[in-house]
Every structure is written in structure tokens, then in C-alpha cells.
Amino acid sequence: MQGTVDGFTHGPVIPVLAFLAACLGAALGLRFTVRSPRTARSFRTGRLALGALSIGSGIWTMHYVAMTGFTVVEAPLSHDKPYILAGLAVAVVMAGVGLFIVGYRGATRMALITGGTLTGLGIASTHYLGMAGIRFRGHFTYETPLVVLSVLIATTAATAALRAALSARVLLSGLGAGVMMAVAVTGMHYTGMASLGVHLHPTAPGPTSGHVPSD
């Protein structure tokens, strides 16, 4: 049985709040990253770690704020806490690896591509871990092309945001980089949600969950 998905249960206010959460985390995190090369090496690690925590928390918060507007009309949903915590850890760690690469190697082409790609993969991993932790009487399916597109959006926009942040000379440019990172997070999220299909199990004895990519 096909389920009915509503990704905007509370209207546009939830997507706006989710985007702002991503903007705040990204702006703070990129600010720490931009300042790190201009600090003593002994303090650089701390700044980059704070940047990773800010960006990772922004990614994670954006996802769960956005998910407050997601419902399956025919079935109640719940979230598995280990997946929630795993998503936060992955976001912080992946963003951290990306930031440490650009923080210590500088804004070289390869460092930006590697750091942006890893940060984008962290965004996507957080999203799909969160979706895997949803419990209901049914399972998710995904359209593979849109899943691939969602990952490409995350990695491309994250790379562009890192490049913009590290080349920023004024505060407004840095804020623009934060917006670009927020676009990476929200663009990935809603593209991934657009690929979603829900199949219900009316006779299932208990809640199940899962996702199976399909072409």
C-alpha cells in the first residue's frame, strides 16, 4: 500500500526555520575556519574543532527542524535515538575532517575539493541516517537519480562555500559563504525528500523501517 507523504505539514515556516538554523551553524563554523590560518598553530586545532562543531550542529539541526514538518498521513512516526546521535556525530566528524584539510593545507584546489566533498558527504550521511532511524509500519524507497543529485548538490555547494569563505575579505562575503553552505544542507535535504516513496504494511505486527534504493 502506497503511503501519502506531506513534507510541509506546517507550511513554509518550518523550511525557513531549518534554513536559518543551517545558516547560523555554517556562518559560525566558517568564521572559525577563516580565522584559523591567522592564529598560532597551537590554537588552530581548537578553532577548527569549534568550526566543525558549529557546522555539524547546523547540519543536524536543519535536518531535524525540517523533519518536524514531515508526516506520513496514514501512519504515526517515531525516531530511533541511536540514529539521531549517530547523525550528529557523523556531521561533526565529516565537517571536521573537511575543515582540517583546508585549515592546514590552505585554499589549494585539491584541498578545497577534498574538504568540500567530505563535508558534503557528511551532510548527506546525516540526512540518510536520520531517515533510516524513522520507525513506522512500512518502509521507504528512494529514486536513485534524485539520491545521487542530492549528494552532488551537497558536495558542490559545500565546496563552493569553503572556497568563498577562505577567499572572503569582508564580513558580508563570509556571510555569503554561510548562506552557500546552508544551501548545500537544505538543497540536499529537500532533494533527498523529493526522491522518497513510502510503502505501508497494514498487517505488520509492529513498526519497521528501511529504505531500498530503486531506479
Side-chain angles (χ1 to χ4, degrees), residues 13 20 27 50 57 61 86 99 101 111 167 169 193 199-200 211-212:
V13 64
L20 291 176
L50 287 172
S57 297
T61 302
L99 294 187
I101 289 173
S167 63
R169 294 292 180 268
M193 296 304 286
H199 292 274
L200 301 176
H211 55 82
V212 180

Side-chain angles (χ1 to χ4, degrees), residues 10-62:
H10 304 297
V13 64
I14 294 299
V16 170
L17 289 175
F19 181 79
L20 291 176
C23 278
L24 179 60
L28 287 173
L30 291 174
R31 190 68 176 165
F32 283 122
T33 305
V34 168
R35 288 177 173 269
S36 65
R38 299 195 289 268
T39 60
R41 194 174 183 87
S42 57
F43 292 102
R44 189 179 303 179
T45 298
R47 285 188 179 274
L48 291 172
L50 287 172
L53 182 61
S54 297
I55 292 176
S57 297
I59 293 169
W60 182 84
T61 302
M62 181 273 146

Side-chain angles (χ1 to χ4, degrees), residues 20 49 60 74 78 92 130 135 138 145 153-154 165 171 173 175 180-181 204 206:
L20 291 176
W60 182 84
E74 299 86 355
S78 63
V92 173
R135 298 289 178 255
I153 289 172
L171 179 61
S173 298
L175 292 176
M180 292 175 67
M181 184 67 79

